[in-house]
Amino acid sequence: MKKTKLALMLVAALAGTSACQMNSPQEPTNLVKQTPATQGFSDFSLQFIDSLWTISPTWALYSGYHKYDGQLQIPDRQSRFEQLAFIDKQQQLLTQFEPDSLDVKSRIDYRLIENLLASMKWEIETYRAWQWNPSIYNVAGGFAQITNEDFAPLEERLRSVISRLENVPAYYAAARDNIQNPTLEHTQLALGQNKGVFSILSEELAKQVADSKLSQTEKALFSERFELAKDAVEMHIDWLAQLTANLEKNGAKSFRIGEALYEQKFAYDIQAGMTAKALYQKALKDKANVQAEMAKITKDLWSKYFDTPMPKDTNQATKQLIDLLSSKHVKRENFVDEVSKQIPELIKFVEKKKLLTLDPYKPLVVRETPEYMRGFAGASISAPGPYEKHGNTYYNVTPLDEMTAESAESYLREYNHWILQVLNIHEAIPGHYSQLVYSNESPSLVKSLFGNGAMVEGWAVYTERMMLEEGYGDFEPELWLMYYKWNLRVICNTILDYSIQVNGMTREQAIDLMTNEAFQQMAEAEGKWRRATLSQVQLTSYYSGYREIYDLREEQKEKLGKQFDLKTFHETFLSFGSSPVKHIRELMQ
């Protein structure tokens, strides 16, 4: 596939589906007079957010708040000291409010801020990834956010770039001072991704500055800082290469974090109301149930595709059928284009079935994954924050150019004709893209900004099943079989992550689980093993959030009977930002 700029704008496709703005249910904050306690907390929460951005300027940038765009925070001891001082101060301020005195919406915001502060402190003092994970140090994202988004006049954004460039050398010097006893896996990832920085700090950027209306003094300052920044990145890459070689030769810290840290991280990140071990045990039961459903479909389809007796081992039979069906897939050079072609069909189905109101004025852009983001996931969403609601949402799809023919074929068999459709439901419509648009519309900045990963991923997984239940794909059994395969992957993500990080599962055991029990292709299994060595807990968010959302919907259906309306449920659920599902349940009840 040609490495040309790929910005497949789908605004026209969205605009053709609806003539109205999204009209999602919102928290009726203006309908009920706030109590003094609730008003006081509302004032505090706004002050908290404003203060947070002063110590987290890049987070502010990603959220669409541009006051501090020119500040690249140096991740040194002083910055950690300032962060801890901020946390202590805000925790003290939080104690002036009694949660039970607040209305339910404010009480949930209280819990979100409380959890965020505790999590930030734990990350710095206990988890300490800033010491052992070199991949967290990369300047590309902030620069890309400024240069790629048209949120302000070009010259204003370029001045932020110039200001930001000043601290790049000190940023990487601090990173090297911080890194102690790193893991090999995270060091290798850092090496690869920092090479991608030059796709952002590029000659194209230099030309953009040269052609701009900046003064000659500003252009000269850019050139000086630009060269120093590139030298700093080159130096850091060389240092990472030497570090990688040393770790490969002499050994490195294990990427496994162990049960105690895992349970703590799970509690902060997932907020599911159960332990990680309990979720793991639940996943084991669901795995058996899904495999049984797949066996039923395999039995029904067997004679359609085979003239030999079906194996007695149902998993073997299912795997054999999936292997046969997986040969139906797009050509490798058409992979990214095929993703973009499917989006209008999903929009049309959602509108026809009245599943959700889609906003035609919120652009979705399918693009090749930027180089500095590659190496972790094959598809992802980059969405604007609540301060920048009208910015582009990017659907990042990694092309298969650099794969060998064998790896590409394995990858395409995994994302075959049926599963590619499920992937697009998950990532785009009505999955991540749609949910994040709604999240930005929540009147509560706290709920929109401090989103819960399990809710975000759980919604995307929930929509996969919901779309098929509503008739997407005309109830084709092959599509349902592949959906169950995909859903089994979600379940096994939890089993895999817990087993690797806590139980010491080996690579061979992990590959066996994924290929023989979850029916995944080898390329997908190897990629997931890599991902499970680079992240912790995040892989459990899909299954955790999905089960909570699906169970909540079924409870609402039973409670409301004929009065239950699916579109109303969806829009009400999404109106509360990206809150943990347990809190949304409280709000909806």
Side-chain angles (χ1 to χ4, degrees):
M1 186 182 298
K2 292 181 180 179
K3 287 288 181 100
T4 55
K5 293 180 183 177
L6 187 62
L8 304 171
M9 296 296 295
L10 297 169
V11 181
L14 278 165
T17 64
S18 174
C20 63
Q21 289 274 10
M22 177 165 59
N23 183 26
S24 60
Q26 296 190 348
E27 300 176 40
T29 53
N30 60 332
L31 299 181
V32 180
K33 186 175 181 179
Q34 292 185 329
T35 66
T38 296
Q39 181 60 56
F41 178 78
S42 179
D43 295 340
F44 162 78
S45 65
L46 292 177
Q47 166 271 316
F48 168 77
I49 292 168
D50 287 343
S51 299
L52 176 65
W53 297 150
T54 65
I55 65 156
S56 304
T58 300
W59 188 359
L61 168 59
Y62 283 133
S63 300
Y65 187 82
H66 296 293
K67 184 177 180 179
Y68 307 110
D69 285 3
Q71 296 183 20
L72 175 63
Q73 187 179 41
I74 299 171
D76 56 11
R77 179 180 297 180
Q78 178 62 29
S79 73
R80 290 191 296 277
F81 176 81
E82 292 171 356
Q83 289 167 16
L84 288 171
F86 165 82
I87 292 166
D88 290 341
K89 178 181 178 181
Q90 298 301 321
Q91 286 179 326
Q92 183 62 36
L93 289 173
L94 200 57
T95 61
Q96 68 185 295
F97 302 102
E98 174 55 50
D100 290 340
S101 70
L102 305 175
D103 65 33
V104 67
K105 301 177 187 67
S106 297
R107 195 181 313 142
I108 289 169
D109 284 1
Y110 177 100
R111 295 301 182 197
L112 289 172
I113 294 174
E114 180 183 50
N115 183 78
L116 175 65
L117 289 169
S119 176
M120 290 171 64
K121 189 169 188 175
W122 177 82
E123 289 273 354
I124 295 171
E125 295 184 335
T126 303
Y127 196 55
R128 305 174 75 86
W130 53 271
Q131 286 187 326
W132 53 261
N133 182 359
S135 70
I136 66 176
Y137 302 109
N138 190 313
V139 299
F143 286 106
Q145 195 76 9
I146 295 170
T147 56
N148 291 342
E149 295 299 324
D150 192 23
F151 56 82
L154 175 63
E155 282 70 25
E156 183 179 329
R157 290 184 284 120
L158 291 178
R159 290 187 182 100
S160 293
V161 168
I162 294 171
S163 177
R164 203 173 178 85
L165 282 170
E166 181 180 16
N167 280 352
V168 171
Y171 175 96
Y172 280 115
R176 291 189 291 276
D177 286 341
N178 289 343
I179 296 168
Q180 300 175 25
N181 192 24
T183 77
L184 172 62
E185 293 78 9
H186 292 95
T187 306
Q188 292 170 329
L189 179 64
L191 177 59
Q193 289 190 333
N194 271 282
K195 289 178 180 178
V197 172
F198 293 114
S199 67
I200 304 301
L201 301 185
S202 63
E203 291 308 310
E204 183 178 350
L205 174 60
K207 185 177 186 304
Q208 198 174 25
V209 172
D211 295 343
S212 72
K213 297 178 182 178
L214 292 175
S215 68
Q216 290 304 314
T217 301
E218 289 172 320
K219 290 179 180 180
L221 184 59
F222 167 80
S223 296
E224 177 187 343
R225 291 180 176 177
F226 184 62
E227 293 304 320
L228 290 173
K230 289 196 297 181
D231 289 345
V233 176
E234 286 282 13
M235 181 187 301
H236 192 66
I237 289 171
D238 290 343
W239 183 82
L240 286 170
Q242 295 174 12
L243 179 60
T244 299
N246 181 60
L247 295 174
E248 288 175 338
K249 179 180 179 181
N250 300 315
K253 173 184 174 67
S254 172
F255 62 83
R256 306 177 200 272
I257 64 174
E259 184 173 8
L261 286 177
Y262 193 92
E263 286 287 1
Q264 292 166 20
K265 186 171 176 58
F266 180 86
Y268 286 126
D269 291 359
I270 305 300
Q271 302 178 67
M274 71 174 75
T275 65
K277 186 174 183 179
L279 184 71
Y280 164 73
Q281 292 170 338
K282 188 173 183 178
L284 290 173
K285 295 179 181 177
D286 266 3
K287 176 170 74 75
N289 294 335
V290 170
Q291 287 174 337
E293 291 298 321
M294 296 176 77
K296 292 177 184 177
I297 298 175
T298 299
K299 183 178 180 181
D300 292 339
L301 287 176
W302 188 263
S303 61
K304 179 179 177 180
Y305 291 98
F306 298 98
D307 55 10
T308 56
M310 193 176 90
K312 293 182 179 180
D313 185 323
T314 55
N315 276 354
Q316 182 184 344
T318 299
K319 188 175 189 301
Q320 192 172 333
L321 177 57
I322 287 173
D323 285 343
L324 178 67
L325 294 175
S326 296
S327 62
K328 185 177 180 179
H329 60 69
V330 67
K331 294 180 180 178
R332 67 183 290 178
E333 62 269 22
N334 297 333
F335 184 71
V336 180
D337 290 337
E338 180 61 27
V339 169
S340 69
K341 285 167 58 179
Q342 289 184 13
I343 306 301
E345 294 302 315
L346 295 174
I347 295 170
K348 188 183 302 182
F349 183 86
V350 169
E351 292 286 345
K352 179 182 177 181
K353 291 288 187 176
K354 298 180 180 179
L355 303 176
L356 197 65
T357 301
L358 299 175
D359 189 338
Y361 301 100
K362 302 292 174 64
L364 173 63
V365 182
V366 181
R367 68 177 180 182
E368 293 185 0
T369 306
E371 290 186 15
Y372 70 91
M373 292 174 61
R374 297 184 186 182
F376 186 74
S380 65
I381 286 287
S382 298
Y387 295 107
E388 223 168 31
K389 299 176 183 179
H390 298 286
N392 292 335
T393 297
Y394 292 103
Y395 184 179
N396 309 304
V397 184
T398 304
L400 313 185
D401 307 35
E402 298 180 4
M403 286 188 178
T404 65
E406 181 181 7
S407 294
E409 175 62 19
S410 179
Y411 188 88
L412 290 166
R413 288 176 66 84
E414 182 67 29
Y415 293 94
N416 56 58
H417 168 73
W418 295 278
I419 285 186
L420 189 57
Q421 297 175 66
V422 180
L423 173 68
N424 289 330
I425 291 171
H426 179 104
E427 296 290 348
I429 294 171
H432 284 318
Y433 160 74
S434 302
Q435 184 269 319
L436 292 169
V437 169
Y438 270 81
S439 181
N440 281 344
E441 296 298 322
S442 171
S444 165
L445 268 178
V446 171
K447 294 183 180 70
S448 294
L449 288 169
F450 311 134
N452 173 251
M455 181 275 179
V456 174
E457 293 296 354
W459 169 261
V461 175
Y462 161 78
T463 60
E464 301 160 11
R465 184 179 183 95
M466 181 273 295
M467 288 282 279
L468 267 64
E469 289 176 337
E470 293 302 308
Y472 181 81
D474 297 322
F475 300 99
E476 182 186 22
E478 288 86 350
L479 178 57
W480 271 97
L481 179 68
M482 290 298 182
Y483 159 74
Y484 278 126
K485 173 184 182 294
W486 182 268
N487 188 243
L488 191 58
R489 181 165 76 170
V490 167
I491 296 167
C492 285
N493 279 349
T494 291
I495 297 171
L496 185 73
D497 198 61
Y498 188 87
S499 296
I500 290 172
Q501 294 291 337
V502 177
N503 296 337
M505 175 181 271
T506 65
R507 182 182 183 279
E508 291 70 24
Q509 291 170 329
I511 296 295
D512 180 70
L513 169 69
M514 290 183 281
T515 57
N516 294 322
E517 293 197 66
F519 315 114
Q520 296 172 19
Q521 294 292 319
M522 183 58 72
E524 175 64 24
E526 290 176 341
K528 188 58 61 66
W529 164 259
R530 173 176 168 77
R531 182 171 172 181
T533 65
L534 295 171
S535 66
Q536 313 80 23
V537 173
Q538 194 273 338
L539 281 171
T540 71
S541 61
Y542 304 85
Y543 174 66
S544 173
Y546 158 69
R547 284 305 325 174
E548 287 188 286
I549 296 170
Y550 196 86
D551 291 347
L552 174 60
R553 188 196 73 178
E554 293 305 289
E555 289 171 16
Q556 290 283 307
K557 286 171 69 174
E558 183 176 352
K559 177 182 177 181
L560 298 176
K562 293 181 180 180
Q563 293 182 320
F564 177 82
D565 178 75
L566 188 58
K567 184 178 182 182
T568 299
F569 171 80
H570 289 159
E571 295 185 348
T572 303
F573 180 86
L574 293 178
S575 71
F576 300 115
S578 300
S579 304
V581 181
K582 65 180 181 181
H583 294 329
I584 296 177
R585 174 189 291 275
E586 184 179 356
L587 287 166
M588 292 184 70
Q589 290 176 343

